[in-house]
Amino acid sequence: MSEQAKIGDVIVAELSKAADKDRNILAVTSDSRGSASLAPYIKKHEEQLVEIGIAEQNSVTVSGGLAHSGKRPFVFAPAAFLTMRSIEQVKVDVSYSNNNVKLIGISGGNSYKDLGATHHSLQDLAITRAIPNLEVYTPADQYQAAKLIQYLAISNEPAYVRIGKVALPNIYSDTKNAFIKPGKANIVVENGTDVALVSSGETLHIAIETASLLKMQGINATVVDLVSIKPLDIELLNQLADKTNLIVTLEEHSLYGGLGSAVAEALSPRGDIKLELLVFLMNQ
Amino acid sequence: MDTKMLELKAAQMRLATWNMIYKAGTGHTGSDLSCADILVALYYTVMNQTPQTFEDQNCDHYIQSKGHAVEILYNVLADRGYFPKTDLESYSQFNSPYIGHPTNHVHGIEQNTGSLGHGLGLASGIALAGKLDHRGYHVYTLMGDGEQAEGSVWEAAMFAGNYHLDNLTAIIDHNKLQISGPITQVMNSESLTAKYEAFGFNVIEVNGNDISELVNSLKKQNHTGKPLLILANTIKGRGISFAENKAEWHHKVPSDEQYQQGVKELKTIIGGLKNE
Ligand SMILES: Cc1ncc(C[n+]2csc(CCOP(=O)(O)OP(=O)(O)O)c2C)c(N)n1
Ligand SMILES: [Mg+2]
């Protein structure tokens, strides 16, 4: 395997494999097949593609109906449109009615760079975290993305997956432990307990590089991959808080309601230690 | 069931709904009475769906987009045996599944609605799945005419036309009223026939309070490659003289006096139908 990969390509390849086995898998697009890099999937599974046109709200509602009838729709759209324009459809037609729809938010965070704020998605985790009956994931490398899609292709729970645009370096060496299950975080660097860096998705590799830099200065860091933003691995976070003086979070999201907030919310009931929490936000 | 029996059912469902709303002190009275005949036509003769076959993937489907008219739906479902009628005594009470909008915690209800503008898209998804899997089922959805102002309705209409979903029938309860007043004054959605035709539908206009017209149009085989829209001209508050065509009765609860008067009127209708 190459040393880096675009998560979107991996998701499409893995979904294509799942579609070989299960003809109920559908890719649903809103004039987004190009930006979602769906060409390899479409080449093999044109009959398992539903084009909705530029109507993101309808892409979610129609997928609710498809799922109700036994289909397994994966909706691909830019994260900004999927989680903001369509959020009421996500709440009602996916979460509330409990329809097995998988929402793939592409080009999340600041991926669209110079295209501007209409296309940026720096609130999607806050929004989707607040929706009940919706899992939220941020895969960080190709192995994790592949394993995550293998799980999503057979799971019956609604989920939102946020991915970015650029190729990401490998963090794991194979799919085996890259994604274990919902609500399970991974420790990816274990240098020591001076500081814990908690991150996920597109910023995880930066946390790992930071740990190396810190090590050269004699600071021993642990790095945690919080791939499952919801459900959250509260147990692991508490273990970290037991052992570590400082927890630092790193994410590509608004300060409000993202990964840093999730960690703070999870640890705030603790009264036993004085915890310092630093939330870092990434702007590309 | 013949037309007379269906008319009797509709009148009885109106009375049950009137009683339920009065007792609970809440409900969408005018909206329920408006579409009673449509629901009776669907559930007693048109749809291939029973409480026993409800979970079967090959059964017909019904999505009530105008979810607020849930009281009439509950009464029809109970009468058809989806759950015991006595269950409805808990309507609108804390912890009851029989809340003020449809949820799939209730046997017989497929999708949760209440936010207007979702039903046509959901029904379209179900209809497309039926086409993809070559299943013979038909999908029905009921919308309001005020609801037509929701943009999502038109996203779904464009989709249904584009995919030639002739296993889909959308019904508009065209009572010309919404909460704040006449449709034409609040937000004019008129020319619905031309609008839906332009979106790729066949359109049939019927008297939506006439059971035999409804049954005839709903049972019509449609293999035209186009979804069907039934524009059902109705009277909001139908069956209670002082509630008919009055926007204020959208979700008004009758006073004691009004309640008694309404019971009298509906019982007269029921008596008349029984004697025929
Ligand atoms: C998205 C949304 N907006 C507003 C409402 C509140 N609401 C409930 S019923 C109604 C009027 C509906 O009028 P119409 O569609 O004509 O239905 P009718 O009761 O006349 O059959 C409104 C505004 C809602 N339920 N959903
Ligand atoms: Mg109306």
Side-chain angles (χ1 to χ4, degrees), chain B residues 31 66 68 114-116 144-147 150 175 177 179 236 250:
Chain B
S31 313
K66 49 168 278 187
H68 56 282
S115 173
L116 293 166
D145 50 4
E147 183 181 357
E150 289 285 359
N175 54 31
L177 291 175
I179 293 185
K236 200 157 175 171
H250 176 78

Side-chain angles (χ1 to χ4, degrees), chain B residues 26-56:
Chain B
T26 181
H28 286 83
T29 315
S31 313
D32 287 321
L33 296 171
S34 179
C35 61
D37 307 289
I38 296 167
L39 287 189
V40 165
L42 284 172
Y43 274 96
Y44 292 79
T45 70
V46 174
M47 275 205 293
N48 167 28
Q49 189 200 90
T50 66
Q52 292 72 38
T53 61
F54 173 66
E55 310 282 347
D56 182 343

Side-chain angles (χ1 to χ4, degrees), chain A residues 261-284:
Chain A
S261 298
V263 172
E265 286 161 16
L267 297 178
S268 65
R270 294 171 65 103
D272 59 332
I273 57 155
K274 187 176 163 292
L275 186 73
E276 256 191 89
L277 189 70
L278 275 180
V279 179
F280 275 93
L281 308 174
M282 280 301 302
N283 282 317
Q284 288 189 346

Side-chain angles (χ1 to χ4, degrees), chain A residues 48-268:
Chain A
Q48 282 169 256
L49 175 85
V50 178
E51 177 60 74
I52 306 277
I54 311 165
E56 292 80 7
Q57 298 172 68
N58 201 40
S59 74
V60 175
T61 302
V62 165
S63 294
L66 289 165
H68 177 59
S69 308
K71 296 292 175 192
R72 292 180 173 276
F74 282 67
V75 185
F76 289 83
F81 310 138
L82 190 57
T83 63
M84 277 172 254
R85 179 179 289 247
S86 311
I87 197 61
E88 202 227 32
Q89 281 75 10
V90 173
K91 175 189 136 194
V92 177
D93 303 327
V94 178
S95 152
Y96 185 35
S97 281
N98 192 26
N99 288 316
N100 183 12
V101 177
K102 305 300 195 296
L103 305 157
I104 312 294
I106 59 174
S107 303
N110 278 337
S111 297
Y112 277 125
K113 297 185 287 190
D114 54 309
L115 293 191
T118 53
H119 286 58
H120 295 166
S121 181
L122 292 165
Q123 299 82 12
D124 55 338
L125 299 180
I127 294 169
T128 53
R129 255 176 12 95
I131 302 287
N133 190 29
L134 186 72
E135 296 173 355
V136 179
Y137 298 106
T138 48
D141 85 348
Q142 59 176 317
Y143 298 112
Q144 189 171 58
K147 190 79 185 297
L148 178 65
I149 294 300
Q150 288 163 18
Y151 157 74
L152 293 175
I154 55 169
S155 89
N156 293 320
E157 318 301 328
Y160 170 66
V161 180
R162 185 235 252 195
I163 64 170
K165 236 166 131 71
V166 296
L168 296 179
N170 293 347
I171 287 164
Y172 298 92
S173 50
D174 55 42
T175 56
K176 194 159 170 278
N177 293 316
F179 171 74
I180 295 165
K181 62 174 187 183
K184 194 88 188 79
N186 289 332
I187 294 177
V188 287
V189 174
E190 222 169 355
N191 290 346
T193 56
D194 294 335
V195 56
L197 306 174
V198 180
S199 189
S200 76
E202 290 203 275
T203 48
L204 182 62
H205 69 96
I206 299 168
I208 293 170
E209 287 155 28
T210 306
S212 309
L213 294 175
L214 288 171
K215 186 154 195 193
M216 289 193 269
Q217 298 183 32
I219 300 169
N220 298 316
T222 294
V223 180
V224 172
D225 172 9
L226 214 58
V227 52
S228 176
I229 301 281
K230 200 175 111 207
L232 200 62
D233 193 341
I234 293 174
E235 201 185 317
L236 184 91
L237 289 173
N238 270 300
Q239 285 166 9
L240 277 187
D242 287 340
K243 293 190 285 199
T244 324
N245 301 323
L246 178 67
I247 293 180
V248 177
T249 64
L250 181 62
E251 65 188 304
E252 188 174 326
H253 191 274
S254 156
L255 176 60
Y256 305 100
L259 179 146
S261 298
V263 172
E265 286 161 16
L267 297 178
S268 65

